[in-house]
Amino acid sequence: MFSFISRRNAAWQLLALTVVVSLASGCCLRPYDNMHVPTRFVPFLGFGMKPNERVFIQAKGGIDPLFDDRWATVGVLWTAPTPTATGAHGLEYYGFGSHGIYIPESCWDRAGDRSVTAIRCVDSSGRVLYSADETVAEVGMEGIDLDPVEGWLEYGNRKEYITVWRE
């Protein structure tokens, strides 16, 4: 019995460590997965863990984003030079954002009377930033106070891309 409990605790600790390491690059809160936008301009809001870091905004057709590996860089944002927020455990976050990054028509797929794109944010080391699912819209900026692991478990998008719909 003790062996089973020890292995289970070790597995949870490994999961928590994996999540913390993956969140070390930052997060994208907007757009969130399954967000709907009225135009080809998509708003971005996120946080990095380093000051003055480039964040590449990449997009491609969203009907089947796993079909090919051709991501197009459609914009570049920079994290702030000084901390924008301090979260749980004294973690300092450097914000980045834009009221709208233009996503070209070539990155949208038609899906009935709507269009869909897949978007991801990639840091300067090539790591895909953590993203949120649609429940993050309910929590707002209060989510920054959550422990990163708790926040990811509660609001995290499990895919390595964000699906955005255009009406």
Side-chain angles (χ1 to χ4, degrees):
M1 178 75 165
F2 178 75
S3 176
F4 172 76
I5 293 172
S6 287
R7 279 185 275 152
R8 189 171 178 189
N9 284 342
W12 277 110
Q13 290 171 345
L14 181 60
L15 172 65
L17 179 61
T18 301
V19 171
V20 168
V21 168
S22 69
L23 297 182
S25 62
C27 64
C28 180
L29 301 175
R30 292 263 188 294
Y32 49 82
D33 195 40
N34 286 315
M35 185 169 171
H36 291 255
V37 296
T39 70
R40 290 186 202 136
F41 288 90
V42 177
F44 282 82
L45 172 66
F47 296 93
M49 303 304 282
K50 294 190 265 183
N52 298 315
E53 181 172 33
R54 284 182 303 183
V55 177
F56 299 93
I57 309 302
Q58 297 181 335
K60 67 177 175 176
I63 290 288
D64 188 0
L66 302 177
F67 181 67
D68 63 43
D69 291 325
R70 292 178 289 177
W71 288 96
T73 298
V74 296
V76 178
L77 298 173
W78 293 83
T79 60
T82 58
T84 308
T86 302
H89 311 295
L91 289 173
E92 292 182 331
Y93 299 103
Y94 300 85
F96 66 86
S98 170
H99 292 291
I101 297 286
Y102 178 78
I103 309 298
E105 189 61 35
S106 61
C107 294
W108 296 89
D109 286 337
R110 292 294 301 160
D113 59 347
R114 300 181 297 173
S115 295
V116 61
T117 187
I119 295 174
R120 67 182 187 179
C121 298
V122 180
D123 71 10
S124 59
S125 299
R127 293 177 296 204
V128 177
L129 273 60
Y130 148 83
S131 61
D133 69 18
E134 55 198 313
T135 61
V136 78
E138 299 166 9
V139 71
M141 291 303 291
E142 296 170 16
I144 203 85
D145 292 328
L146 293 173
D147 176 87
V149 174
E150 290 174 19
W152 186 81
L153 291 173
E154 180 88 18
Y155 303 106
N157 173 24
R158 303 309 191 253
K159 302 178 293 191
E160 292 216 357
Y161 60 89
I162 306 157
T163 301
V164 176
W165 298 88
R166 185 181 81 211
E167 303 300 324

